[in-house]
Amino acid sequence: MTLQFNDETFRGDYSYFNTEHAIKRLPFPFDRDEYMYSVNIEAHPGGPKGSPFEFRFDVDEHYVSEMKDRAITLDDDPLRCQSLPHMELAGWDLLEIIMVSKAEDYPNLFTLHRDGNRWHWINRPLGIEQRFTFLDPTTLPCGPMEYITRQTQGDFALLHERDGNLWMDAGMVTSQADWSLDFDIGMNFFEWHAPVPKAKQMGVFDKALKFLLAMQQGQSYRRLNWTMTVNPRLDTSPENYHKWGPEKRTITPENVGRKQHLRIELQSFWRLPRSNAIAFPIRCYLACLEDICTQPKWGRRLHRVLRDIDPTLAEYKGFAVNQDMIVNYLSQFDDGAPTSPGIFPDA
Amino acid sequence: MSKQMMLEVTEVEPLTPLVTRFRFEHPEKAPLPIFSGGAHVVVEMPDGEMLRRNAYSLISDPNDASGYEIAVRREETGRGGSRYMHSEVTPGTRMRISVPTNLFALDPRARKHVLIAGGIGITPFLSHLRQLDLLQQPFELHYAARSRDEAAGLKLLPKSARIHVQISDEGNRMDLGEILTGQPIGTHVYVCGPEGLISAVLDVAARHGWPKGALHSEAFASPPPGKPFTVTLAKSGRTIEVSASQSLLEALEAAKVEIDWSCRGGACGRCETKVAACDGQIEHNDHWLSRDERAEQKKIMPCMSRFTGAALVLDL
């Protein structure tokens, strides 16, 4: 299949859309009719052909437009991309793993020629061709992490391991669910997770950190997370809360199906070989309630999950203000029938 | 457990009468995963009835995917892993090797790196030196060995004014006070070698006011042999005998008890096991449990630790 890239926006007129193909391959984050935190980690990549789990770094119909949106956000606020001085090698690690993966997994879109440290990278969708010397930053237009993440969907955090903890010492963050790299940079695992309700008491973070520290190269993992966003906006940052926060008040019973989006994060974890750092890509998928409800199983399940969710989580995920309208809308898709286990839609 | 590769031994070179270098390559010459300075691999040795797994620091260039190299010191009084390497392994032998793991990485924030090695503890620094060369960061290396027979590093170290060697047989001693004073702010210290050297470095550093976060150590510990003992598994009620030349982890593995592990040297914490009952004394040989945890005797690290007494029941 040849991938067609949508011409769409994630701000202003919000012309973002999912084709039927994109809807069917969404990584729907609920494997049952209820939700509570869990360390829901599985090996990555690996999954049905055509699913977003098939390849290491999923490239989909939104790729080109997402990269344009990232460039706009970075023009406004360069601090969305930061790398502390000791993280440059981890940046090269990330560049290597992404270029190698994309060239292997999408040979029609990306090509990488390597002759020792002399590399030649071709990115056809974005019209980029670059010859550079691996590990020599003067041969790229910007640092290695910035260079490759301007060409890769999703946010990226690079975590440095020391003193039995992980430290967020570099990142590219322009499509985030209300957190700020500029605020979190230099923090450790427990510090940057401090705002998450309930999880600490449940011991989730101790377990998660132990898991991450034990992670070895060649073994990568993923988990799904989610939140709710009004309008298909990638940049829901604290820095721009004044732009998107008030939009929550624009939801009406008439427009909720189009305007209210489920925001799904496909998070993955990679031990980087050269730097021993950990890469944490957070890939965002947006789908409006109407899109979700084209799949009967998902409509039923989303209704039950959002109706019965712990109120603290509805507040934390930012949709408590519209919860009644959302649940009312979804109820028309829930006939009470049982749902099948797992996240994939019924055939 | 780690992901593993079946590799072929391509070179066996005695570096000294005590220490031998082994090189591993992929049988089809496929590139191996590159790694970071200070990483180790776990080598599997099918020693008769017993499957031994020993961790060894990689001494080759982290950026060289063509092969992995380790240096093994023959320990006459050990459990037998190093004797197996020295007597059974020849070019052409195929062995299972884990992917590299790093529990002793350089801190790239350091303005300068001071590396202190004792004896076979030189091994992780050999890959560190390559990484420092690549990153072009300032360093000095101090290497002490009892004798030239033990000083395997001599053959592998580059000539450099930043590398200082002390052979105690020849009357040269490492002066830790001298090394640990007058270093610029932002220097990190790394020590690998026998327990005595590590504690001496940490003591001297503490006395000179070094911040804890700037001190890094790795004991090149392998499980010590000891007296045989018996453990009971609470869930199945099985009893398992641990022989004198076996670690508790090896005995559990031989009895097909599933247990997670990584470094097999008491440093990573993966094999931590709850103790259901303990009538006797656990010999804690690991670097993972805190002093309080050791005293409580409610946890044990089976890769390193042993037991003497009437009964030890594990929550397995």
Side-chain angles (χ1 to χ4, degrees), chain A residues 30-182:
Chain A
F30 305 109
D31 65 347
R32 63 196 72 186
D33 291 356
E34 60 193 16
Y35 175 75
M36 191 21 93
Y37 298 127
S38 59
V39 185
N40 51 333
I41 291 173
E42 53 187 5
H44 180 77
K49 199 167 158 34
S51 75
F53 311 123
E54 182 182 7
F55 295 129
R56 288 161 278 191
F57 298 92
D58 183 41
V59 177
D60 69 5
E61 64 187 30
H62 306 297
Y63 176 50
V64 174
S65 294
E66 278 190 35
M67 294 300 96
K68 283 184 190 153
D69 192 74
R70 165 157 291 163
I72 298 171
T73 301
L74 286 169
D75 274 350
D76 284 351
D77 182 1
L79 293 179
R80 301 303 187 84
C81 178
Q82 297 189 45
S83 176
L84 298 183
H86 61 275
M87 296 303 280
E88 190 178 287
L89 187 60
W92 286 110
D93 265 327
L94 184 69
L95 175 141
E96 177 176 39
I97 213 163
I98 292 178
M99 284 188 178
V100 169
S101 302
K102 283 190 165 179
E104 283 175 11
D105 295 341
Y106 301 92
N108 296 329
L109 305 181
F110 307 97
T111 305
L112 178 65
H113 300 288
R114 287 185 286 180
D115 174 12
N117 278 351
R118 281 183 303 164
W119 290 27
H120 179 198
W121 166 245
I122 302 166
N123 178 336
R124 290 181 195 84
L126 297 182
I128 292 170
E129 182 165 357
Q130 180 81 42
R131 290 170 201 273
F132 64 99
T133 306
F134 187 68
L135 299 176
D136 179 354
T138 63
T139 60
L140 283 178
C142 55
M145 178 192 70
E146 178 176 351
Y147 181 77
I148 196 58
T149 57
R150 277 179 179 268
Q151 302 179 44
T152 309
Q153 287 165 278
D155 285 343
F156 289 82
L158 295 182
L159 315 179
H160 183 224
E161 177 176 339
R162 62 177 185 270
D163 306 334
N165 210 325
L166 293 170
W167 305 79
M168 192 179 296
D169 286 348
M172 166 68 92
V173 179
T174 66
S175 54
Q176 68 277 53
D178 203 7
W179 66 281
S180 163
L181 175 70
D182 193 37

Side-chain angles (χ1 to χ4, degrees), chain A residues 85-87 89 93 96 134-135 160-163 169 210 213-219 271-276, chain B residues 1-3 33-37 63 99-102 105-109 131 134-135 213 262 269-270 272 288:
Chain A
H86 61 275
M87 296 303 280
L89 187 60
D93 265 327
E96 177 176 39
F134 187 68
L135 299 176
H160 183 224
E161 177 176 339
R162 62 177 185 270
D163 306 334
D169 286 348
K210 202 168 171 179
L213 292 177
M215 223 172 45
Q216 295 180 320
Q217 56 170 303
Q219 297 172 306
R271 174 70 74 176
L272 299 175
R274 296 170 194 275
S275 60
N276 202 42
Chain B
M1 198 192 300
S2 314
K3 209 167 149 179
I34 45 177
F35 56 96
S36 51
N63 273 306
V99 296
T101 301
N102 201 337
L106 294 169
D107 191 327
R109 298 172 307 159
Q131 186 135 5
L134 176 79
L135 299 174
S262 174
R270 286 283 277 277
E272 182 182 293
W288 176 255

Side-chain angles (χ1 to χ4, degrees), chain B residues 96-151:
Chain B
R96 261 182 215 291
I97 312 287
S98 73
V99 296
T101 301
N102 201 337
L103 297 171
F104 192 47
L106 294 169
D107 191 327
R109 298 172 307 159
R111 300 274 184 83
K112 178 181 177 184
H113 305 268
V114 172
L115 316 176
I116 302 174
I120 195 66
I122 188 67
T123 52
F125 296 125
L126 295 169
S127 64
H128 278 150
L129 288 180
R130 311 270 195 157
Q131 186 135 5
L132 288 168
D133 190 41
L134 176 79
L135 299 174
Q136 297 179 23
Q137 292 189 347
F139 75 92
E140 57 189 59
L141 169 71
H142 299 269
Y143 174 31
R146 238 169 288 163
S147 62
R148 290 203 177 255
D149 276 3
E150 209 180 43

Side-chain angles (χ1 to χ4, degrees), chain B residues 254-300:
Chain B
K256 306 272 182 255
V257 179
E258 286 258 340
I259 188 153
D260 195 19
W261 56 265
S262 174
C263 76
R264 304 179 81 88
C268 76
R270 286 283 277 277
C271 66
E272 182 182 293
T273 300
K274 283 192 188 133
V275 171
C278 174
D279 177 8
Q281 195 64 38
I282 298 176
E283 297 165 14
H284 292 288
N285 296 315
D286 61 277
H287 301 267
W288 176 255
L289 297 177
S290 67
R291 192 188 293 240
D292 290 347
E293 286 173 316
R294 287 161 190 252
E296 280 174 9
Q297 303 212 108
K298 298 230 169 93
K299 290 176 185 165
I300 187 169

